[in-house]
Amino acid sequence: MASSSYDVLRKQARSLENEIDLKLVAFSKIGAGSGGSSGISNSSSADTSPLLGDLVFDSLSEEIEQMLEKLSTLNESMSDLPATGAAAMHTLQRHREILHGYRQEFNKICANHTVRIEREELLRGSGLTTSGSPSISGLSRREMYMKETGHLSSASHLVNDQINIAIETRDHLHAQRQAFKRLQTRFNDISNRFPLISSLIQRINIKKRRDSLILGAVVAFCIILLLLYAFN
């Protein structure tokens, strides 16, 4: 009896997983903005098509949330049944992993849709009339994306300019480094010659002191001779 109930729950889970998978594909297309206005070709309706796409997105989002909750309930019901073997446990674990993957994909699509809506609102900018309703002459999606592409291109040019300035600065610093190296080499050469000059100066000083001593001795000897001659 437990095996029969487990098989029924497993079939229901598989069927529900297939439905959720199909819903997520459509949900992803609508969230990316490619499924809400496929039947609208003129530019005047491009401003109102996002409203319809948002309504479809919200409706499908609620439906998928309900299906995910139902799949979670089925998995819990299968886990409450007595274990019938390793294969059944592996299958139950697989169903849980599938549910977790579906939840992650659902949250990712919702987050991307929110980011896209915020970006479009930012690009729409002043395309609102004084009454607060979207202007018919406002930017279409293609024009907004072209404007955003232009901004990205301008930012890329600015970044390239900054990179060129950084390269020029690096070249100047490299040239200064080479100049400092040459100066350092010259200073090293001069410092290597200093010992010879210092030794020569010391020799000159020693010779001057020796000459001074000799001259002093001669003067003193002459004075003594003069004194002896005077007293005699």
Side-chain angles (χ1 to χ4, degrees):
M1 182 67 180
S3 176
S4 177
S5 299
Y6 180 83
D7 292 337
V8 172
L9 293 175
R10 185 181 60 182
K11 290 180 180 179
Q12 292 179 358
R14 286 181 177 177
S15 176
L16 189 57
E17 287 171 355
N18 293 331
E19 292 181 8
I20 293 175
D21 189 49
L22 294 176
K23 294 288 185 181
L24 284 175
V25 172
F27 189 59
S28 177
K29 291 181 179 179
I30 296 175
S34 61
S37 57
S38 59
I40 302 175
S41 60
N42 54 1
S43 60
S44 62
S45 59
D47 295 328
T48 59
S49 58
L51 299 177
L52 178 59
D54 291 341
L55 292 176
V56 176
F57 183 88
D58 294 338
S59 176
L60 191 57
S61 174
E62 294 179 1
E63 184 178 356
I64 293 176
E65 283 183 349
Q66 294 176 359
M67 296 174 71
L68 290 173
E69 291 297 330
K70 184 177 179 180
L71 181 60
S72 177
T73 302
L74 289 175
N75 290 340
E76 292 177 359
S77 299
M78 284 189 291
S79 64
D80 291 338
L81 293 176
T84 57
M89 297 299 296
H90 177 74
T91 302
L92 179 59
Q93 181 63 28
R94 179 57 182 164
H95 284 299
R96 290 174 177 172
E97 292 176 355
I98 292 174
L99 175 61
H100 180 69
Y102 284 159
R103 288 190 182 278
Q104 286 186 332
E105 182 67 18
F106 175 75
N107 294 331
K108 180 181 177 181
I109 295 172
C110 291
N112 292 338
H113 177 73
T114 302
V115 171
R116 183 180 65 84
I117 294 300
E118 292 177 352
R119 182 178 59 187
E120 289 181 357
E121 290 296 332
L122 180 62
L123 291 175
R124 192 178 298 274
S126 60
L128 297 175
T129 61
T130 56
S131 61
S133 59
S135 174
I136 298 178
S137 60
L139 295 174
S140 64
R141 286 188 177 182
R142 179 176 297 179
E143 290 173 343
M144 287 190 294
Y145 289 139
M146 290 178 65
K147 185 176 180 180
E148 183 180 8
T149 302
H151 291 163
L152 292 176
S153 178
S154 299
S156 177
H157 289 311
L158 291 176
V159 171
N160 290 333
D161 292 339
Q162 295 298 322
I163 292 174
N164 291 331
I165 293 174
I167 292 174
E168 293 178 357
T169 304
R170 185 197 62 182
D171 294 338
H172 288 310
L173 292 175
H174 183 71
Q176 291 179 2
R177 182 181 179 184
Q178 295 298 325
F180 286 138
K181 282 186 176 180
R182 289 193 294 267
L183 289 175
Q184 185 178 7
T185 302
R186 292 181 182 178
F187 287 145
N188 290 334
D189 294 339
I190 294 173
S191 63
N192 292 332
R193 294 176 184 176
F194 275 159
L196 298 176
I197 298 174
S198 179
S199 177
L200 181 60
I201 293 173
Q202 289 178 359
R203 290 180 183 179
I204 293 172
N205 291 331
I206 292 172
K207 187 177 181 180
K208 286 175 66 178
R209 285 195 297 268
R210 184 181 62 183
D211 293 341
S212 298
L213 291 174
I214 293 172
L215 182 60
V218 172
V219 171
F221 181 73
C222 292
I223 292 173
I224 291 173
L225 290 176
L226 290 174
L227 290 174
L228 289 174
Y229 178 76
F231 285 111
N232 290 332

